[in-house]
């Protein structure tokens, strides 16, 4: 592997770790907001992202728990996605890229990305429906505005996963003939 490729993969690992830590902090901050909004709602304005849904909580606890569940699930799945990227980058060997571990991780990335996109899309539709019932969901739109991008990205990653799966099959076949 050339020095330039080595540098690029080290940089990608660092970037993946930074994104993973950032997404983990976001998920943790949202969890703290959730707990404070239930037990000490007066402090929510001072917390992470000032995600104050106390009005929604007052009107309907089911709506509050449902929307916050979507937010927490999406934030957690995004952190898990980048953890999978870290695992992939740690085991990726450019001298022998077609192995079953890499193929499996890329498939998992595709599934995880699709789940994020699908849950985000469902959350967006539920939020639109809630707006018809005079709930203010504008503050939540940032959490699922990229649902279609995740679904498209999942399709691209799925194609790459299938290419790697076929590459593993060809590699194994080649190893058997030698």
């Amino acid at each position: 592997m050339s020095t330039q490729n080595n540098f690029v993969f080290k940089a990608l690992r660092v970037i993946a770790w930074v994104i993973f830590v950032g997404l983990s902090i976001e998920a943790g901050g949202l969890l703290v907001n959730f707990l404070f909004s239930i037990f000490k709602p007066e402090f929510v304005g001072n917390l992470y992202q000032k995600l104050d849904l106390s009005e929604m909580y007052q009107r309907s606890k089911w709506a509050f728990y449902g929307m916050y569940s979507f937010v927490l699930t999406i934030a957690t799945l995004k952190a898990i996605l980048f953890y999978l990227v870290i695992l992939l980058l740690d085991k990726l060997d450019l001298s022998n890229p077609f192995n079953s571990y890499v193929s499996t991780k890329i498939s998992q990335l595709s599934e995880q990305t699709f789940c994020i996109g699908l849950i985000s899309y469902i959350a967006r539709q539920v939020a639109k429906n809630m707006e018809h019932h005079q709930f203010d969901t504008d503050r939540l739109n940032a959490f699922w505005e990229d649902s279609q991008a995740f679904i498209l990205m999942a399709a691209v990653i799925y194609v790459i996963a299938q290419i790697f799966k076929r590459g593993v099959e060809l590699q194994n076949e080649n190893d058997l003939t030698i």
Side-chain angles (χ1 to χ4, degrees), residues 38-57:
I38 293 172
F39 298 113
K40 296 280 187 182
E42 61 272 7
F43 290 116
V44 172
N46 301 326
L47 296 176
Y48 181 73
Q49 291 187 355
K50 297 180 171 99
L51 189 58
D52 184 10
L53 298 178
S54 56
E55 181 183 320
M56 186 182 291
Y57 183 77

Side-chain angles (χ1 to χ4, degrees), residues 113-138:
T113 305
F114 183 72
C115 285
I116 293 169
L118 185 63
I119 292 171
S120 297
Y121 182 78
I122 292 169
R124 185 169 68 176
Q125 296 308 315
V126 170
K128 281 183 184 177
N129 187 31
M130 289 180 66
E131 286 177 357
H132 294 306
H133 298 287
Q134 281 69 43
F135 281 99
D136 181 25
T137 60
D138 289 339

Side-chain angles (χ1 to χ4, degrees), residues 145-160:
E145 67 187 357
D146 52 0
S147 63
Q148 294 164 332
F150 272 99
I151 292 172
L152 180 62
M153 186 169 47
V156 171
I157 296 172
Y158 178 77
V159 169
I160 293 169

